[in-house]
Amino acid sequence: MEEISSKGKLFVISGPSGAGKGTIIKELIKQIDVELSVSATTRKPRPGEIHGKSYYFVGMDKFREMIRRGEFLEYAKVYENFYGTPKTKVLEKLDEGHDVILEIDIQGAMKVKKVFPKGVFIFILPPSMAELRRRITGRGSETKEVIDLRMSKTLGEIAYVDQYDYCVINGQIQEAVNRVKAIVIAEHSKVSSDIQGILDEFEEEK
Amino acid sequence: MEEISSKGKLFVISGPSGAGKGTIIKELIKQIDVELSVSATTRKPRPGEIHGKSYYFVGMDKFREMIRRGEFLEYAKVYENFYGTPKTKVLEKLDEGHDVILEIDIQGAMKVKKVFPKGVFIFILPPSMAELRRRITGRGSETKEVIDLRMSKTLGEIAYVDQYDYCVINGQIQEAVNRVKAIVIAEHSKVSSDIQGILDEFEEEK
C-alpha cells in the first residue's frame, strides 16, 4: 500500500549553492525511507569522511576506468579532482524498490536528465536574493568581489529552473522539507505509464 | 511562501462509488485550507441539508436558465433531478487564490476535464475488489443481483483511471488523506507555465 509502483524513483535535488540543499536532504533522510546516492571522487578524504558513506574514494586510474566502462550517470572535473555518480549503485537501489536521492549541482543534474529523464527533478531556491547574499556573506571572510561573482553565477543558475519538475523555496527549513516529502509521496501516486502496476496491485488483493 | 502560484488550483476528486471519496474529503478540509465546491440541484433538500452548504437548491426553471447561460462546469440528470457544478463560484474562489475541491463522479470529471484541463484529477480506488464488495454489501439489504451490477459498473469505471493525474488507493483512511494532502502541496511546487510567478516572487523579496 505504501509503495504503489514496484520500483523506486530517482529524485534529483539541485539548485544554486547557498540554497540549503544539504540541510533539506539531511532532514529528509531522517523522516522518510530514501537512500542517498554516494558519489565517487578522486580527491583525498577529509578528516571524519567515511569511504562508502561520504564518498567512494578511488584513485585516478580507477576513476578513468569507470568512465571508460560507462559506469557513471554523470561525472565532472572540479579543479584537480573528479566527481561522479555511480550508475550501477543507483539502478540497483531503484530495482530493489528504494527511492534514491541525488544531490547534485545544476550542470550535473542536466547531464542526469539526459540519460535518466524518468528522474524527478527538484530545484531548491533560497527564499530571496537578499537572503542568499546573507548566506554567502555569512560563511566567512569572502571579499565583495567574490560575493558579487557568486551572486551573478547564482542568477545565471536560477534560469535553469524551467528544466525542473518542481521548485521549492527554502525559507523555513521544516516547511521546505515538508514540501519535498510531499513531492516524493505525490510522485508515487501519479498515474503514469505504470498504471498497469496500480491495477495489478488492486487485483492482487482481490 | 505557502502559496507559490498566485491563484488557487482545482482538485477534482473522483472514482467509483464505495471508494470513500466523501470520507477522504471530509478529513481533508479539516486539515488543509481548501474550499469545497457546492453543487446546484433541483432535488428537494433532505432533513439537515443546508442551502449553500450541502447544495444550492434551485427550481427547475432556474436550473435550465443556468444551463442556457453556460453557468455550469458540468451538469447531469440523475433520475428526475439535475445536478451541476456552478462555474462562476469555482472560478471566483480560484481567482481569490483558494484551492477548490470538487467531488464528482467519473462522467462529471471527464466533462470538467474537457472545459478545465488545468485541473488536477485524482482518482480514488478502494483497497481491493474484495473490500469494495464488502463496502457495497455492508450498506444494507441489497440483493446479490444489485451488488453484482454495482461491481461490474465499478470495474468499468476503473478503466478511466488513465484519464487522471493521480490515483490514491483508499485502504487506511489517514494514509489516503495524507497522500491527497501531499498531492495538493506538491502541485503548488510544480514548475509549470507559472514559472515566471515563482521567479517574480523570488525577486520581490529581494
Side-chain angles (χ1 to χ4, degrees):
Chain A
M1 241 287 297
E2 272 290 321
E3 284 281 330
I4 282 188
S5 62
S6 56
K7 294 200 177 190
K9 281 180 181 270
L10 177 65
F11 294 90
V12 179
I13 297 189
S14 158
S17 100
K21 303 183 286 290
T23 322
I24 290 177
I25 292 172
K26 229 188 220 167
E27 273 304 306
L28 197 69
I29 54 179
K30 280 187 214 163
Q31 296 184 26
I32 56 171
D33 185 25
V34 287
E35 304 242 0
L36 198 56
S37 162
V38 176
S39 299
T41 182
T42 59
R43 85 152 163 74
K44 296 280 164 286
R46 292 179 191 145
E49 286 185 338
I50 301 158
H51 178 75
K53 200 164 173 198
S54 318
Y55 285 97
Y56 296 105
F57 296 101
V58 300
M60 191 63 99
D61 287 352
K62 168 80 175 161
F63 201 99
R64 288 195 194 282
E65 196 189 313
M66 288 173 82
I67 294 175
R68 218 169 25 240
R69 291 191 179 170
E71 287 182 22
F72 289 114
L73 267 182
E74 59 77 40
Y75 69 92
K77 197 181 176 187
V78 182
Y79 302 107
E80 288 310 296
N81 297 305
F82 282 90
Y83 295 82
T85 306
K87 185 158 64 182
T88 337
K89 302 266 180 197
V90 170
L91 296 184
E92 267 174 25
K93 285 175 185 167
L94 294 177
D95 270 344
E96 289 164 6
H98 297 292
D99 288 338
V100 177
I101 299 272
L102 179 56
E103 181 193 347
I104 196 169
D105 65 13
I106 294 162
Q107 284 71 22
M110 292 301 99
K111 289 182 196 167
V112 174
K113 203 184 167 186
K114 267 191 194 149
V115 293
F116 204 84
K118 272 172 61 184
V120 179
F121 293 80
I122 305 172
F123 198 84
I124 309 291
L125 268 182
S128 66
M129 288 309 286
E131 177 57 25
L132 182 72
R133 185 176 278 273
R134 273 193 294 277
R135 286 180 193 182
I136 288 176
T137 314
R139 276 185 186 177
S141 51
E142 281 88 350
T143 63
K144 192 180 172 300
E145 283 71 29
V146 170
I147 291 169
D148 284 347
L149 193 71
R150 281 198 193 147
M151 287 297 287
S152 64
K153 191 182 163 221
T154 300
L155 278 178
E157 288 181 325
I158 288 171
Y160 280 89
V161 64
D162 64 355
Q163 299 295 309
Y164 287 73
D165 300 305
Y166 297 95
C167 176
V168 172
I169 294 179
N170 183 17
Q172 266 268 308
I173 173 73
Q174 197 49 56
E175 162 72 19
V177 171
N178 284 343
R179 283 193 176 271
V180 178
K181 259 167 69 178
I183 292 166
V184 172
I185 295 169
E187 278 290 326
H188 278 285
S189 297
K190 252 197 182 157
V191 173
S192 57
S193 50
D194 193 40
I195 188 63
Q196 200 49 54
I198 297 181
L199 293 181
D200 286 351
E201 178 162 331
F202 182 70
E203 288 297 317
E204 267 165 33
E205 293 177 46
K206 223 170 182 172
Chain B
M1 241 287 296
E2 272 288 321
E3 284 282 329
I4 283 189
S5 63
S6 56
K7 296 201 178 190
K9 281 180 181 273
L10 176 66
F11 294 90
V12 179
I13 297 190
S14 157
S17 100
K21 303 183 288 290
T23 323
I24 290 178
I25 291 173
K26 228 188 221 168
E27 273 304 307
L28 197 68
I29 54 179
K30 280 187 214 162
Q31 295 183 26
I32 57 171
D33 185 24
V34 287
E35 305 241 0
L36 198 56
S37 163
V38 177
S39 298
T41 183
T42 58
R43 84 152 163 75
K44 296 279 163 288
R46 292 179 192 145
E49 285 186 339
I50 300 159
H51 177 76
K53 201 164 175 199
S54 317
Y55 285 98
Y56 296 105
F57 296 102
V58 298
M60 191 64 98
D61 287 350
K62 168 81 174 163
F63 201 99
R64 288 195 195 281
E65 196 190 311
M66 289 173 79
I67 295 175
R68 220 170 22 240
R69 291 192 178 169
E71 287 181 23
F72 289 115
L73 267 181
E74 59 77 42
Y75 69 92
K77 196 180 176 187
V78 182
Y79 301 107
E80 289 311 297
N81 297 305
F82 281 90
Y83 295 82
T85 306
K87 186 158 65 182
T88 337
K89 302 267 179 198
V90 170
L91 296 183
E92 266 174 24
K93 284 174 186 167
L94 295 177
D95 270 344
E96 288 164 6
H98 297 293
D99 288 338
V100 177
I101 300 272
L102 179 57
E103 181 192 350
I104 197 168
D105 65 13
I106 294 163
Q107 285 72 21
M110 292 302 98
K111 289 182 197 167
V112 174
K113 204 184 167 187
K114 267 191 194 149
V115 294
F116 204 85
K118 272 171 63 185
V120 179
F121 294 79
I122 304 171
F123 197 85
I124 309 292
L125 268 182
S128 66
M129 288 309 286
E131 176 57 25
L132 182 72
R133 184 177 278 273
R134 272 193 294 277
R135 286 182 193 181
I136 288 175
T137 315
R139 277 187 187 174
S141 51
E142 280 88 350
T143 62
K144 194 180 170 301
E145 284 71 29
V146 170
I147 292 169
D148 284 349
L149 193 71
R150 281 197 192 148
M151 288 297 286
S152 64
K153 190 182 164 220
T154 301
L155 279 177
E157 288 182 324
I158 288 171
Y160 281 89
V161 64
D162 65 355
Q163 298 294 310
Y164 287 72
D165 301 305
Y166 297 94
C167 177
V168 172
I169 295 180
N170 183 18
Q172 266 269 308
I173 173 73
Q174 196 50 56
E175 163 71 19
V177 171
N178 284 343
R179 283 192 177 272
V180 178
K181 258 165 70 177
I183 291 166
V184 172
I185 295 168
E187 278 291 325
H188 279 284
S189 297
K190 251 196 182 158
V191 173
S192 57
S193 49
D194 193 40
I195 187 61
Q196 200 48 54
I198 297 181
L199 294 181
D200 286 351
E201 177 162 332
F202 183 70
E203 288 297 316
E204 269 165 32
E205 293 178 47
K206 222 169 183 172

